[in-house]
Structure formats: C-alpha cells, structure tokens
Amino acid sequence: MKKGDKDYILVKSVLLAGMIITACGGETYRAEDTMGRMLVAGGATEPEINVFSTSLSVSFVDTSGEVFSISKRIKERGIDLGKITVVNDISRRFCSGAITVEEAYELLLAAEKKKSEYPTLLVMACQVLTPIAFTILLGGKMSDCVVSGLNGIIIALITAFQKKMMLHPAMFNFLIGLCVALFSYSLNSLPFVTVDFFVLLPGSIMALLPGVTLTNGVHDLLNADFMSGGARLTEAVVTATTLAVGVGFGLAIAARIFGGTL
C-alpha cells in the first residue's frame, strides 16, 4: 500500500470516520459498524476493528491481498451529535456508491474541521439558562434561580477560559465545583439572600454531569464491549467525583471564611 493510492485513502477515511464518531460521543458499536461497512464497500476483506474511548485500531486484507494494520490515538473527546450525523450520512453515501472514496475523505476532513454551528453568545446564554431550568425543575425558589443563573455565568466564563488554557478535564470540573460552591455560599452569607443549597448546587452543576458518557458506557457493557464500556464508566465516575470534590472543597473553604453551616 502506497501513500496516495485508493487503499491508502480508504484506510485514512475509515480511521477518520471512526475517530470523529468516538471523539464526539458516539457509541462503540456505531463506530465499529460504520468503519466495517466502509472497508467492505472499499473492497477490503476480513476487516477486524477495535474501538475504545481513547484509541481505535483496524486490520484488513487490501485489494492487492496484503494484510494491513493501523491504529490511531484519540486525544480530545466531547459531545457533538451534529458531527456524528454528518459522518453517518457520508458513510451511507460512500457505501451506496453515490460518492468515491476520495470524495468521502474530503467530506470527512471538512466535517472534522467544522466548528460549532451555534454562536458563542448563544452557547453562553444556554450555559446561564440551563442551571436556572434545572433549579426550577428541582423546586427552587426565586432566590435559588437568581443565584443559579449567576453560577451559570461563572460556568460560562470558566468554560471559555478552559478552551484557551487547555485545562485538564479533571481540573476543569474541580474548578467549576469549587467556584460555584464558594460563590453560592458567599451570597448566602448576605442578610438579604437565603438559598437552599440542596436545590441550588445540584441545579447549578446538573448539566455538567456525564450523562451521555454514562449511558454509552452502560450500552457498551450490555453490548459485550467490556473494555470500552468500563473505560467510559470510569470516565463518568471521575468526572462526577471531581465535580463533587470541588463543591465539597468550596463549601469547606467558604464555611471557614464566612462561618455558619448548610
């Protein structure tokens, strides 16, 4: 297999498709199924694919009869269902013969580089409104909703800071929990502000809990993808734990500064 020939472009396309699906929060079976179908449609035989949350590997027999194997590391992960939809559409078009492997590769490259469809201000507005909505859902009063909205502003600012400074995800979650707890407790110490921490704090950080990761992890386990499922569940536990530890530290520090109890 030489760089630039059809088989080379095929494997690059397959790896890119699997990487985008996995990095954007797609299920393991979806990534493996997509990659396998693309390989078969491109003329490869005996495809063997292994997808994990942080890496993927592919081996197959190419059109010249040679065995080829390659792996790729997934360094950044997040949630972007829009990109998964685009990759699904590209793979279906390629497998049906509507586009060539070269065209599929170019479309996948464009999908990988595509930025968010939503304006930054809209995203930040949602980050402010979401804690308010969860606080209302949990039965919060007006004062709880106001403070949760202010917590949403803090979350939006820290998120913007994290994208520029490339904070580690664990440190990012810890910092959010710490700041939200400190700010909420400090406001509650004012004589004219009274909040219910058992409603305010869960409502403020609810959207940061790893629901998609947890769901995909359970789905992978039920689908007998034990390594991938275990990795996703571990990631979900670490995310939730760092948030909780951050909140705990924030409350402990604030209690020492402002006094009182929850």
Side-chain angles (χ1 to χ4, degrees):
M1 183 184 297
K2 296 181 180 180
K3 186 176 181 179
D5 64 16
K6 184 178 179 181
D7 286 334
Y8 179 83
I9 298 175
L10 174 64
V11 72
K12 292 283 286 185
S13 302
V14 169
L15 280 173
L16 187 55
M19 187 192 72
I20 293 174
I21 292 175
T22 306
C24 292
E27 305 92 329
T28 298
Y29 85 91
R30 183 187 299 275
E32 291 181 346
D33 183 65
T34 298
M35 295 168 72
R37 289 177 183 272
M38 290 182 69
L39 282 172
V40 173
T45 57
E46 302 180 31
E48 294 292 340
I49 302 162
N50 290 301
V51 174
F52 306 104
S53 59
T54 56
S55 64
L56 47 86
S57 62
V58 178
S59 64
F60 60 94
V61 179
D62 63 20
T63 54
S64 63
E66 296 182 0
V67 178
F68 188 81
S69 180
I70 190 171
S71 61
K72 188 172 183 64
R73 175 78 172 174
I74 300 173
K75 297 180 180 180
E76 296 182 5
R77 300 186 305 279
I79 303 297
D80 193 334
L81 302 183
K83 283 189 178 182
I84 296 176
T85 302
V86 171
V87 173
N88 286 339
D89 178 65
I90 294 171
S91 67
R92 290 191 184 100
R93 291 166 63 191
F94 171 67
C95 293
S96 65
I99 57 176
T100 64
V101 65
E102 293 83 3
E103 292 171 333
Y105 183 57
E106 292 298 325
L107 291 172
L108 287 168
L109 283 175
E112 181 190 27
K113 297 176 182 178
K114 185 178 180 182
K115 296 183 178 180
S116 174
E117 299 179 358
Y118 306 104
T120 302
L121 289 178
L122 177 60
V123 173
M124 296 184 73
C126 290
Q127 289 174 323
V128 174
L129 293 174
T130 301
I132 297 175
F134 276 116
T135 302
I136 294 173
L137 186 65
L138 294 173
K141 304 185 299 292
M142 178 61 70
S143 58
D144 299 322
C145 294
V146 172
V147 177
S148 66
L150 296 175
N151 285 336
I153 295 176
I154 294 175
I155 292 172
L157 293 175
I158 295 177
T159 302
F161 174 77
Q162 186 263 350
K163 291 180 179 179
K164 291 184 178 181
M165 301 301 294
M166 300 299 293
L167 289 176
H168 189 278
M171 180 58 67
F172 168 69
N173 292 322
F174 176 83
L175 186 60
I176 284 183
L178 179 70
C179 293
V180 165
L182 272 173
F183 182 74
S184 300
Y185 200 106
S186 63
L187 283 186
N188 190 60
S189 65
L190 298 175
F192 54 86
V193 178
T194 303
V195 297
D196 183 352
F197 285 106
F198 295 101
V199 172
L200 172 61
L201 294 178
S204 297
I205 65 173
M206 186 72 73
L208 300 173
L209 296 177
V212 174
T213 304
L214 180 63
T215 302
N216 285 345
V218 173
H219 189 282
D220 288 344
L221 289 177
L222 295 177
N223 203 40
D225 293 318
F226 298 115
M227 292 185 66
S228 179
R232 290 181 188 271
L233 288 180
T234 301
E235 180 182 354
V237 170
V238 170
T239 300
T241 301
T242 51
L243 273 171
V245 169
V247 171
F249 265 86
L251 292 176
I253 294 172
R256 283 187 171 272
I257 296 174
F258 301 104
T261 58
L262 294 181

Short mmCIF file of all heavy atoms in Angstrom, two decimals, residues 141-145 147-148 184-185 187-189 193-200:
data_model
loop_
_atom_site.label_atom_id
_atom_site.label_comp_id
_atom_site.label_asym_id
_atom_site.label_seq_id
_atom_site.Cartn_x
_atom_site.Cartn_y
_atom_site.Cartn_z
N LYS A 141 -36.70 28.19 44.68
CA LYS A 141 -37.42 29.45 44.78
C LYS A 141 -36.78 30.48 43.87
O LYS A 141 -35.78 30.23 43.20
CB LYS A 141 -37.41 29.93 46.24
CG LYS A 141 -37.98 28.92 47.24
CD LYS A 141 -38.04 29.52 48.64
CE LYS A 141 -36.67 29.91 49.15
NZ LYS A 141 -35.81 28.74 49.40
N MET A 142 -37.34 31.69 43.87
CA MET A 142 -36.81 32.75 43.02
C MET A 142 -35.35 33.05 43.35
O MET A 142 -34.52 33.23 42.45
CB MET A 142 -37.66 34.02 43.17
CG MET A 142 -37.16 35.20 42.35
SD MET A 142 -37.16 34.87 40.57
CE MET A 142 -38.95 34.85 40.29
N SER A 143 -35.04 33.13 44.65
CA SER A 143 -33.65 33.42 45.04
C SER A 143 -32.70 32.33 44.57
O SER A 143 -31.57 32.62 44.12
CB SER A 143 -33.55 33.57 46.56
OG SER A 143 -34.00 32.38 47.20
N ASP A 144 -33.14 31.08 44.62
CA ASP A 144 -32.31 29.97 44.13
C ASP A 144 -32.05 30.11 42.63
O ASP A 144 -30.94 29.87 42.15
CB ASP A 144 -32.99 28.62 44.41
CG ASP A 144 -33.20 28.38 45.89
OD1 ASP A 144 -32.32 28.76 46.68
OD2 ASP A 144 -34.26 27.82 46.25
N CYS A 145 -33.08 30.48 41.89
CA CYS A 145 -32.95 30.62 40.44
C CYS A 145 -32.01 31.76 40.07
O CYS A 145 -31.21 31.64 39.12
CB CYS A 145 -34.32 30.85 39.81
SG CYS A 145 -35.45 29.46 39.96
N VAL A 147 -29.48 32.96 41.88
CA VAL A 147 -28.10 32.57 42.19
C VAL A 147 -27.61 31.51 41.20
O VAL A 147 -26.45 31.52 40.78
CB VAL A 147 -27.99 32.07 43.64
CG1 VAL A 147 -26.57 31.59 43.93
CG2 VAL A 147 -28.38 33.16 44.61
N SER A 148 -28.48 30.58 40.81
CA SER A 148 -28.07 29.56 39.83
C SER A 148 -27.75 30.19 38.49
O SER A 148 -26.85 29.74 37.77
CB SER A 148 -29.17 28.50 39.68
OG SER A 148 -30.34 29.04 39.09
N SER A 184 -21.87 30.60 45.80
CA SER A 184 -23.21 30.40 46.37
C SER A 184 -23.20 30.62 47.87
O SER A 184 -24.10 31.27 48.43
CB SER A 184 -23.69 28.98 46.06
OG SER A 184 -23.77 28.76 44.66
N TYR A 185 -22.18 30.10 48.53
CA TYR A 185 -22.10 30.25 49.99
C TYR A 185 -21.88 31.71 50.38
O TYR A 185 -22.45 32.20 51.36
CB TYR A 185 -20.97 29.38 50.54
CG TYR A 185 -21.08 29.06 52.01
CD1 TYR A 185 -21.45 27.79 52.43
CD2 TYR A 185 -20.83 30.02 52.99
CE1 TYR A 185 -21.56 27.47 53.77
CE2 TYR A 185 -20.94 29.73 54.32
CZ TYR A 185 -21.31 28.45 54.71
OH TYR A 185 -21.43 28.16 56.05
N LEU A 187 -22.82 34.39 48.75
CA LEU A 187 -24.07 35.15 48.60
C LEU A 187 -25.05 34.83 49.72
O LEU A 187 -25.77 35.71 50.21
CB LEU A 187 -24.70 34.84 47.24
CG LEU A 187 -24.09 35.52 46.01
CD1 LEU A 187 -24.93 35.22 44.77
CD2 LEU A 187 -23.98 37.03 46.19
N ASN A 188 -25.08 33.55 50.12
CA ASN A 188 -26.00 33.15 51.18
C ASN A 188 -25.64 33.79 52.51
O ASN A 188 -26.48 33.89 53.41
CB ASN A 188 -26.00 31.63 51.31
CG ASN A 188 -27.10 31.12 52.23
OD1 ASN A 188 -28.27 31.35 51.97
ND2 ASN A 188 -26.71 30.45 53.30
N SER A 189 -24.40 34.22 52.67
CA SER A 189 -23.99 34.86 53.91
C SER A 189 -24.52 36.29 54.03
O SER A 189 -24.49 36.88 55.11
CB SER A 189 -22.46 34.89 54.02
OG SER A 189 -21.90 35.69 52.99
N VAL A 193 -30.17 37.51 51.42
CA VAL A 193 -30.18 36.38 50.48
C VAL A 193 -30.28 35.08 51.27
O VAL A 193 -29.50 34.84 52.19
CB VAL A 193 -28.91 36.35 49.61
CG1 VAL A 193 -28.95 35.14 48.68
CG2 VAL A 193 -28.77 37.64 48.81
N THR A 194 -31.26 34.27 50.90
CA THR A 194 -31.43 32.95 51.51
C THR A 194 -31.67 31.92 50.41
O THR A 194 -32.60 32.08 49.61
CB THR A 194 -32.61 32.92 52.49
OG1 THR A 194 -32.42 33.92 53.48
CG2 THR A 194 -32.73 31.55 53.14
N VAL A 195 -30.82 30.91 50.35
CA VAL A 195 -30.95 29.88 49.30
C VAL A 195 -30.96 28.50 49.94
O VAL A 195 -30.53 28.31 51.07
CB VAL A 195 -29.79 29.98 48.28
CG1 VAL A 195 -29.82 31.31 47.54
CG2 VAL A 195 -28.46 29.75 48.95
N ASP A 196 -31.48 27.56 49.17
CA ASP A 196 -31.49 26.16 49.58
C ASP A 196 -30.36 25.44 48.84
O ASP A 196 -30.46 25.18 47.65
CB ASP A 196 -32.84 25.53 49.24
CG ASP A 196 -32.95 24.09 49.71
OD1 ASP A 196 -31.94 23.53 50.18
OD2 ASP A 196 -34.05 23.51 49.61
N PHE A 197 -29.26 25.15 49.54
CA PHE A 197 -28.10 24.55 48.89
C PHE A 197 -28.41 23.19 48.28
O PHE A 197 -27.79 22.79 47.29
CB PHE A 197 -26.94 24.41 49.88
CG PHE A 197 -26.26 25.71 50.18
CD1 PHE A 197 -26.46 26.34 51.41
CD2 PHE A 197 -25.43 26.31 49.26
CE1 PHE A 197 -25.83 27.54 51.71
CE2 PHE A 197 -24.79 27.51 49.54
CZ PHE A 197 -25.00 28.12 50.76
N PHE A 198 -29.35 22.46 48.87
CA PHE A 198 -29.68 21.12 48.38
C PHE A 198 -30.46 21.18 47.07
O PHE A 198 -30.66 20.15 46.42
CB PHE A 198 -30.46 20.36 49.44
CG PHE A 198 -29.66 20.10 50.69
CD1 PHE A 198 -29.84 20.88 51.81
CD2 PHE A 198 -28.71 19.09 50.72
CE1 PHE A 198 -29.09 20.66 52.97
CE2 PHE A 198 -27.96 18.85 51.86
CZ PHE A 198 -28.14 19.64 52.99
N VAL A 199 -30.90 22.36 46.69
CA VAL A 199 -31.54 22.57 45.40
C VAL A 199 -30.62 23.36 44.47
O VAL A 199 -30.44 23.02 43.30
CB VAL A 199 -32.88 23.32 45.56
CG1 VAL A 199 -33.45 23.71 44.20
CG2 VAL A 199 -33.89 22.46 46.32
N LEU A 200 -30.00 24.39 45.02
CA LEU A 200 -29.18 25.30 44.22
C LEU A 200 -27.95 24.61 43.62
O LEU A 200 -27.71 24.70 42.41
CB LEU A 200 -28.73 26.47 45.09
CG LEU A 200 -27.70 27.42 44.48
CD1 LEU A 200 -28.24 28.08 43.23
CD2 LEU A 200 -27.26 28.45 45.51
#
